[in-house]
Amino acid sequence: MRFEKLLLMLVVLCSVPNISVFAQETQAAEESKEVKPAQPAQELKPFTTIDPTIPLDQLKIMVRPLTKQELQVEADAWFKLLHNKARQIAAARLGVKKTNEAISTSDDRQALESLKKAESVQQTADKIAKETEEELMQKAQENLGLDSAVDAAKPDQSSTEQAAADQNTTEGEPADSSAQTGNAAKAATPDEDSTPTHAAEVMKEQILVNLTKLQDERTALSDRLEVVLASLSLKGGDVESYRKYIAAVSGIDLDTSDASAAWYGIKGWIVSKEGGQRMSWNLGKFLVILLITWLVARIGSAIMRWVLERKVRLTQLAENLISSTIKNIIFLIGFAIALTALEIDVTPLLAAIGATGLVVGLALQGTLSNFASGLMILINRPFDVGNVVTAGGITGTVKQMNLVSTTFRTFDNQTIHVPNNSIWNNVITNITANKVRRVDLEFSIGYDDDFEQAEQIIKEVLDEHELVLKDPAAVVVTHALADSSVNIVCRPWAKTENWWDVKTSVTREVKRRFDQAGISIPFPQQDIHVYSAEALTGKNAELSKK
């Protein structure tokens, strides 16, 4: 039955352009013959409400080609259905209140009066909802020209109702909310053996069961209205009031003063298709998407690192940064997709991020400057991971770098994060960039010592040291005659990783050899000349005679 309806709807929709073209040609021909008074425009009628339980994916296809005016009509139609469903829910909740009054009172007459009010409110709401649904379905059928086809496809009404009644009797459940209300009203009528209190309890239970079904139907209608509103919003329509109403009537209203009703509501939501089952399914999809995203991010990062290592010549610092950035981007995209599985609309979030981008940019000028400096460091490659560097006032080993800061590990095992701007705007000294370094040493001896002997001792120490390189050759030369000493410069070469060992071991061995040879390393000293007062007086007298 539903398949035939949808097939006829698609046929009619496909034929609408041809019909409109034919109508325009006919109208043009008639106008060429004679001028007639203008006819009023045909009132737009909804057609998507022909089946209130239409699948969402099919509804999205149906609303895509509609204009703004047509979508407005469809939105109003679905809004009426939702509004009436909200009224039914309100009537059911009011019925629960009335049954509670009947249960709590000791007056049988007052209890019966409360039950009658509860029954009347629900029947009125059900009647209005049923009439509205039938009216909208009738308009949709007229709009699509499906009256004859639908009537032909309909079975006899009496037989359908009888079959539905038999099925409901067999299964023990009403076919819809109206039948549920009728059963509740029948159960509320006390017989000879029952009391009004018992009838009220039975009616309350029936109303609570019906309330869960009504809430599921309301959620389904809200979803379909949201599909129409999404298309209408894309085409310039105002949908804010509709969405505010959806938010206002959605959710579960638990009456904490009525423990049984609250528990029934929670239990009904957990087992309902549009409640707990839907949330569990969405949560499962969310976790699965996150897991897949995590795997894809790791695989993508590994592939990017492999490509950079073998196909592109970049520093390890740049490779680490690019691979980690790819990983983070993949994970952010996957997380956004996972949020949609929880039915969270990320569009407002993205719009808010875009709108606040300028403000954030102004507030984060320092961060953006560090970002630019980080890019310059990656492009110019002044250092890499593992290099010993003096930069930004810090000397240490480079551990890692991002686009904001660089992490150093100092020789006393401190971890220091230096902003990239401080590094790039100052002198950068890469101590371990080259494989070979020169060790600069200077030894001081006394003026009374033999400087040639001292030079020979230093050369012997260098020649015997296994870590001192033969090429380039070491330089040992008397460099300066200082105030208190004769200074001898010693400049051997060593591999970068052996620089510190060469410096300390050569210094230690030269001091030991000097001590053995009796060569002193003098302290700073000054000569002081003392004159007596008489000598100064005589000297001054001689100067005055001159």
Side-chain angles (χ1 to χ4, degrees):
M1 176 69 179
R2 182 178 298 175
F3 177 78
E4 294 177 355
K5 287 184 179 180
L6 295 174
L7 182 60
L8 288 171
M9 290 164 58
L10 292 175
V11 171
V12 172
L13 287 175
C14 292
S15 62
V16 166
N18 297 331
I19 295 174
S20 60
V21 172
F22 177 77
Q24 292 175 0
E25 294 176 352
T26 305
Q27 183 178 0
E30 293 295 332
E31 288 177 354
S32 62
K33 295 180 179 179
E34 55 180 346
V35 178
K36 294 183 178 180
Q39 298 293 331
Q42 184 179 2
E43 180 184 0
L44 294 176
K45 297 179 181 179
F47 70 91
T48 58
T49 52
I50 190 171
D51 182 10
T53 62
I54 182 173
L56 294 178
D57 54 347
Q58 297 180 15
L59 182 59
K60 291 178 181 178
I61 296 174
M62 295 177 67
V63 300
R64 184 182 295 273
L66 300 183
T67 62
K68 175 182 175 182
Q69 292 75 15
E70 292 171 334
L71 286 170
Q72 188 69 53
V73 174
E74 300 296 336
D76 291 337
W78 286 104
F79 178 79
K80 287 182 181 179
L81 293 175
L82 178 61
H83 175 244
N84 283 306
K85 194 61 63 176
R87 292 181 62 177
Q88 286 182 277
I89 293 174
R93 289 173 178 166
L94 184 58
V96 173
K97 293 288 186 182
K98 291 298 181 181
T99 55
N100 287 335
E101 292 178 2
I103 294 172
S104 60
T105 184
S106 59
D107 188 352
D108 291 348
R109 183 176 180 181
Q110 185 177 356
L112 290 174
E113 186 69 23
S114 297
L115 292 179
K116 290 180 180 179
K117 290 182 179 179
E119 178 186 351
S120 175
V121 169
Q122 291 184 88
Q123 288 180 349
T124 302
D126 293 342
K127 181 180 178 181
I128 295 175
K130 186 175 181 180
E131 291 176 351
T132 302
E133 184 175 344
E134 291 177 350
E135 178 185 357
L136 293 174
M137 291 181 65
Q138 181 65 28
K139 288 183 178 180
Q141 292 175 2
E142 294 176 357
N143 188 26
L144 294 174
L146 299 178
D147 288 343
S148 58
V150 172
D151 292 339
K154 283 185 179 180
D156 181 67
Q157 183 176 3
S158 60
S159 62
T160 304
E161 293 177 354
Q162 183 64 32
D166 294 340
Q167 184 178 1
N168 293 336
T169 304
T170 303
E171 296 178 357
E173 296 183 357
D176 54 17
S177 57
S178 300
Q180 188 85 8
T181 305
N183 291 342
K186 186 181 295 184
T189 305
D191 53 21
E192 296 178 358
D193 299 331
S194 64
T195 62
T197 301
H198 175 71
E201 292 176 351
V202 174
M203 185 176 183
K204 178 181 178 180
E205 183 177 355
Q206 295 288 344
I207 293 174
L208 290 174
V209 173
N210 185 38
L211 181 59
T212 301
K213 294 183 178 181
L214 289 173
Q215 289 173 344
D216 284 349
E217 294 172 0
R218 179 196 60 193
T219 303
L221 290 174
S222 299
D223 293 341
R224 284 151 181 80
L225 176 57
E226 185 61 39
V227 170
V228 178
L229 295 180
S231 183
L232 179 59
S233 177
L234 290 175
K235 295 170 184 176
D238 184 11
V239 299
E240 187 65 23
S241 59
Y242 295 102
R243 285 177 172 162
K244 286 183 178 180
Y245 183 82
I246 294 174
V249 300
S250 298
I252 302 176
D253 188 9
L254 297 179
D255 187 3
T256 55
S257 61
D258 187 355
S260 62
W263 168 244
Y264 226 105
I266 295 173
K267 184 175 68 174
W269 181 86
I270 292 175
V271 301
S272 65
K273 182 179 179 181
E274 297 293 338
Q277 295 183 18
R278 180 174 178 175
M279 179 61 70
S280 300
W281 174 246
N282 290 341
L283 183 60
K285 291 192 295 183
F286 175 79
L287 295 177
V288 170
I289 293 174
L290 283 185
L291 177 60
I292 295 175
T293 300
W294 180 74
L295 293 175
V296 172
R298 292 198 62 179
I299 295 173
S301 176
I303 293 175
M304 179 57 64
R305 186 183 296 274
W306 181 86
V307 171
L308 293 176
E309 287 178 353
R310 290 166 174 77
K311 304 297 181 181
V312 183
R313 291 186 177 180
L314 293 177
T315 62
Q316 186 179 354
L317 200 65
E319 292 175 2
N320 294 339
L321 181 61
I322 294 174
S323 61
S324 62
T325 302
I326 295 295
K327 181 179 179 180
N328 293 334
I329 291 175
I330 294 175
F331 192 80
L332 286 176
I333 295 174
F335 184 73
I337 297 174
L339 288 178
T340 60
L342 291 177
E343 300 182 7
I344 298 176
D345 188 8
V346 297
T347 303
L349 178 62
L350 297 178
I353 293 175
T356 57
L358 178 61
V359 178
V360 173
L362 294 175
L364 300 178
Q365 289 183 355
T367 302
L368 295 177
S369 177
N370 290 324
F371 180 84
S373 298
L375 290 178
M376 295 301 296
I377 292 173
L378 290 177
I379 294 173
N380 291 275
R381 299 184 290 182
F383 51 79
D384 199 356
V385 174
N387 290 155
V388 178
V389 176
T390 298
I394 301 297
T395 299
T397 304
V398 179
K399 288 299 179 182
Q400 64 178 0
M401 173 187 168
N402 54 41
L403 290 177
V404 177
S405 64
T406 301
T407 302
F408 290 89
R409 181 72 58 82
T410 61
F411 297 111
D412 56 350
N413 203 30
Q414 297 184 66
T415 300
I416 301 178
H417 301 273
V418 182
N420 290 334
N421 197 29
S422 299
I423 296 175
W424 184 248
N425 290 334
N426 292 280
V427 177
I428 301 173
T429 303
N430 192 333
I431 299 174
T432 58
N434 300 315
K435 295 181 179 180
V436 176
R437 286 189 63 194
R438 190 182 70 185
V439 183
D440 290 341
L441 299 171
E442 185 173 3
F443 300 101
S444 300
I445 62 174
Y447 275 94
D448 296 333
D449 297 319
D450 187 352
F451 71 91
E452 292 181 345
Q453 182 185 8
E455 289 179 354
Q456 185 62 32
I457 291 175
I458 295 173
K459 290 179 181 179
E460 291 176 356
V461 170
L462 297 179
D463 291 339
E464 296 172 0
H465 202 294
E466 59 182 7
L467 297 180
V468 174
L469 299 178
K470 305 304 178 182
D471 186 19
V475 174
V476 178
V477 63
T478 300
H479 172 64
L481 301 177
D483 294 337
S484 304
S485 62
V486 176
N487 297 335
I488 302 175
V489 170
C490 173
R491 292 177 178 175
W493 290 81
K495 293 182 179 180
T496 301
E497 61 268 22
N498 299 328
W499 183 88
W500 181 254
D501 292 337
V502 170
K503 182 175 182 179
T504 55
S505 60
V506 168
T507 302
R508 181 183 178 86
E509 184 63 20
V510 168
K511 174 65 171 66
R512 190 178 66 83
R513 296 283 186 92
F514 279 4
D515 291 342
Q516 291 178 354
I519 298 176
S520 64
I521 300 177
F523 296 100
Q525 58 187 1
Q526 291 181 345
D527 292 337
I528 300 176
H529 301 275
V530 181
Y531 298 93
S532 64
E534 295 179 355
L536 290 175
T537 303
K539 186 175 181 180
N540 293 333
E542 293 178 358
L543 292 174
S544 62
K545 290 179 180 181
K546 293 179 180 181

